[in-house]
Amino acid sequence: MISNIYNINQRTAWDAFSAHLSGSDSGLLLAISASPLGEVARKALDSSAKALGYGPGACAFASILPPTAPKAAEPLERDAGASLDASSLRLLVEGIDPLALVVADDAALKLVRQAYPDAAFSPPSMTSIQSDCSLGRAFGRTVTAFESFEKMLDSAESKQAAWALLKKLPHLD
């Protein structure tokens, strides 16, 4: 990361929420999910970001639940072991300041709606595989939201439906 004034907020967010974050420090595209996304979903989002002109490895990944819970004898830190609440999610997103958000599942969308109560989403569109997808805006950012992004990667047809929505994110090329 090249040093600039915006890196201070990004670094602070990464440090404060490290148990919930992985991926690119630049965080041009932030994917939010209830639990950490699997490798296939992460690669699909990285490939999508690259195709949209964000560059290779431009995705940051945030999970509401951390990958591991602390042991009972360990004291809880602010971000270790606890789920993110709406206020914490908003601090995380605004600190990283991504260009766009991908909300990977229903639980994450519920929290995003709490964190950004003024967010506007299109009515969910039903694809032929009966998965809700919607496009929205939250605090000036384009947001794509999926009922379950990972499940959509199970078939060629649903992958195409997911890609069709992801193509609505801002292009940088």
Side-chain angles (χ1 to χ4, degrees):
M1 213 186 290
I2 298 171
S3 180
N4 66 49
I5 60 171
Y6 301 105
N7 290 359
I8 295 168
N9 289 338
Q10 284 180 333
R11 190 73 263 144
T12 300
W14 275 89
D15 290 345
F17 299 104
S18 62
H20 298 274
L21 289 167
S22 61
S24 171
D25 283 355
S26 69
L28 293 175
L29 181 64
L30 178 62
I32 304 169
S33 56
S35 57
L37 289 173
E39 193 62 28
V40 172
R42 291 169 63 96
K43 284 183 180 180
L45 288 171
D46 272 330
S47 295
S48 297
K50 185 176 178 183
L52 294 170
Y54 291 65
C59 286
F61 302 93
S63 60
I64 296 168
L65 301 170
T68 57
K71 295 177 182 141
E74 294 178 10
L76 286 177
E77 294 179 22
R78 175 182 171 189
D79 64 331
S83 297
L84 291 175
D85 61 13
S87 176
S88 295
L89 179 65
R90 188 171 175 127
L91 286 172
L92 181 154
V93 171
E94 294 308 314
I96 292 175
D97 194 21
L99 296 175
L101 300 175
V102 174
V103 182
D105 52 55
D106 280 342
L109 180 57
K110 181 179 177 183
L111 193 61
V112 167
R113 286 181 186 264
Q114 291 172 6
Y116 294 93
D118 295 335
F121 288 90
S122 64
S125 60
M126 296 297 272
T127 66
S128 59
I129 56 159
Q130 298 298 304
S131 181
D132 289 338
C133 303
S134 58
L135 184 65
R137 305 247 341 134
F139 209 59
R141 292 181 186 88
T142 302
V143 180
T144 58
F146 300 91
E147 181 181 306
S148 176
F149 181 74
E150 288 187 296
K151 285 183 184 177
M152 290 187 80
L153 300 177
D154 290 343
S155 74
E157 181 184 16
S158 58
K159 280 181 194 178
Q160 288 301 316
W163 174 234
L165 187 61
L166 290 170
K167 286 194 294 188
K168 295 180 188 270
L169 293 171
H171 292 237
L172 299 184
D173 48 359

